[in-house]
Amino acid sequence: MMKRMLSGIKPSGELTLGNYLGALRNFVNYQDEYEMVVFIANLHCITVYQDPKELRQYLKDAVALYLASGLDPQRSIIFLQSDVMEHAQLGFILACNSYLGEMNRMTQYKDKMAKGENALTVGFYTYPTLMAADILIYDPDYVPVGDDQKQHVEIARDIAERFNNRYSPTFKVPEPLIPKVGARIMSLSDPLKKMSKSDHQDKGVIYMLDEPAVIRKKVASAVTDSIGKVNFDPKEQPGIANLLQILASCKSTTVEAVLPEVGHLNYGEFKSVVSDAIIELLEPIQKRYHEIVSTDLLEKTLYEGKLKAQAIASRKLKKVQHKVGLEIFKR
Ligand code: TYM
């Protein structure tokens, strides 16, 4: 049997180059070897307030970008998280099998607390239990994600193991799958910070739909250093190291393989090579995006995806509800 993979993206903003290199591109590549289940984590989006009109646009763009990137609705199951209500139902059951201490240890939560954010929602706090449900309800073998989501996949594993021990074997315990290059693309304006879609208006973030001129401008103003030599030294030259990673990842190769080609360039020349590589990668996707974004392909894809996903999810949820003792009669 074909092994299954599952992943999702939370479009609480426009998708970034980081989302593409760290996640989306890999979903597309894995379609040949795996049964892919890929969804849009719209419930996760509202753990932080979203303007409804903007959110609808982000979601629509995300579906269009999934397809434009090459996700194939014939081969992969593509759907919207809130269309399959079983995720939220299982999420509650898993929240009842998780502990406050575990949630308190989550980096994302700790970071927000440390920043003194005073309006964190309960939904944000229980975010990892919903994510565990997203994953476990489909029994995937692997969960391809960027580096920052590893901790969330690990807690899903812990919850699965606990549930299996407490009741009886129910969930497959999945492995996170992190790419060797591109798993953590950093901001161009602050290379010690992850490139993140929520940093709106930040020139350190490249969006998948940025025009070539915008990409050139952002890369040209990327923070570097005064050393003046293109080396891979993340400690001393984090900006240049990040650009090298981006270049290697865009070209689907390693930093070692690109270094000989760019090691002799000055920073200006090097940046222009990096821009070229990004544009070469994104331009065809942008072209397809514009072709499909106003067609009925998006709605059709989500409708068919929902039916396929629901068929798997509802069976699993029934099983879980019976094991927990919620179902009185076997149906
Ligand atoms: P999200 O939307 O923050 O990110 C989506 C994917 O993109 C990766 N990523 C990056 N990779 C490299 N460099 C970056 N700068 C970068 N930024 C983001 C992320 O690691 C992720 O793989 N909670 C998830 C969505 C989710 C999910 C799931 C994922 C909900 N349920 C179940 C997998 C399985 C999230 O917020 O991803």
Side-chain angles (χ1 to χ4, degrees):
M1 228 173 82
M2 223 181 193
K3 289 201 168 177
R4 184 179 288 164
M5 262 192 197
L6 169 133
S7 201
I9 294 181
K10 168 179 63 96
S12 49
E14 296 171 45
L15 299 195
T16 69
L17 181 66
N19 293 135
Y20 184 69
L21 296 177
L24 182 50
R25 180 177 59 178
N26 307 313
F27 306 166
V28 176
N29 292 337
Y30 286 130
Q31 279 179 121
D32 299 329
E33 278 172 82
Y34 295 88
E35 183 192 354
M36 283 300 303
V37 180
V38 188
F39 66 99
I40 304 228
N42 59 347
L43 291 173
H44 279 105
C45 290
I46 63 163
T47 57
V48 172
Y49 173 79
Q50 303 286 324
D51 174 78
K53 201 163 153 241
E54 275 180 16
L55 179 57
R56 275 183 224 114
Q57 187 62 41
Y58 292 149
L59 298 178
K60 186 176 175 194
D61 280 351
V63 190
L65 282 171
Y66 274 18
L67 299 175
S69 298
L71 273 180
D72 174 5
Q74 303 299 322
R75 283 186 290 167
S76 297
I77 304 180
I78 305 168
F79 66 100
L80 203 57
Q81 185 182 28
S82 64
D83 276 346
V84 182
M85 289 183 290
E86 286 81 356
H87 287 228
Q89 267 173 281
L90 179 63
F92 182 77
I93 296 173
L94 296 185
C96 297
N97 285 276
S98 309
Y99 295 95
L100 301 188
E102 289 176 307
M103 300 299 117
N104 295 343
R105 281 196 297 276
M106 293 285 108
T107 307
Q108 221 181 45
Y109 169 76
K110 285 202 298 195
D111 285 353
K112 292 235 181 197
M113 286 298 274
K115 279 191 205 144
E117 292 205 22
N118 53 11
L120 285 188
T121 68
V122 175
F124 181 81
Y125 187 65
T126 59
Y127 183 118
T129 56
L130 177 60
M131 180 157 161
D134 297 335
I135 299 172
L136 301 180
I137 205 161
Y138 297 99
D139 285 317
D141 298 276
Y142 297 104
V143 184
V145 285
D147 193 53
D148 63 318
Q149 292 297 323
K150 190 166 171 235
Q151 194 185 31
H152 286 152
V153 180
E154 276 162 3
I155 196 150
R157 289 169 54 90
D158 292 345
I159 295 171
E161 277 166 1
R162 179 176 311 134
F163 191 100
N164 290 346
N165 289 332
R166 186 175 277 178
Y167 298 98
S168 64
T170 307
F171 298 118
K172 199 168 242 177
V173 182
E175 300 277 345
L177 203 68
I178 317 259
K180 285 201 182 69
V181 208
R184 196 172 183 82
I185 303 293
M186 309 308 274
S187 161
L188 302 183
S189 51
D190 179 358
L192 300 180
K193 219 178 86 191
K194 192 189 71 165
M195 184 182 284
S196 163
K197 53 178 130 45
S198 43
D199 295 333
H200 298 289
Q201 311 294 332
D202 182 344
K203 61 184 186 351
V205 182
I206 292 180
Y207 295 102
M208 287 185 73
L209 292 172
D210 276 349
E211 306 212 339
V214 174
I215 295 175
R216 283 192 200 286
K217 211 166 149 196
K218 286 178 175 173
V219 174
S221 62
V223 167
T224 53
D225 53 66
S226 56
I227 295 174
K229 176 138 182 31
V230 178
N231 284 314
F232 186 69
D233 185 345
K235 247 205 155 98
E236 298 298 324
Q237 298 178 267
I240 292 293
N242 186 39
L243 292 174
L244 276 167
Q245 298 249 28
I246 291 176
L247 178 62
S249 178
C250 285
K251 295 193 165 296
S252 299
T253 179
T254 59
V255 169
E256 294 74 53
V258 293
L259 253 181
E261 289 168 33
V262 295
H264 60 285
L265 301 179
N266 68 40
Y267 285 176
E269 294 163 337
F270 172 54
K271 282 175 166 179
S272 118
V273 171
V274 175
S275 301
D276 287 345
I278 299 172
I279 292 165
E280 197 179 309
L281 190 72
L282 294 183
E283 246 186 342
I285 298 173
Q286 297 178 350
K287 192 164 165 281
R288 280 195 295 277
Y289 162 88
H290 290 295
E291 284 163 9
I292 60 176
V293 71
S294 305
T295 67
D296 60 6
L297 185 63
L298 311 190
E299 210 179 333
K300 189 166 164 271
T301 298
L302 292 184
Y303 179 72
E304 285 168 6
K306 162 198 164 132
L307 295 183
K308 288 185 210 159
Q310 227 164 28
I312 305 172
S314 63
R315 225 178 306 134
K316 192 72 178 187
L317 181 67
K318 278 268 167 290
K319 219 180 238 173
V320 170
Q321 296 199 149
H322 182 74
K323 290 204 186 201
V324 174
L326 293 172
E327 304 257 343
I328 307 172
F329 306 109
K330 250 198 165 165
R331 276 178 262 184

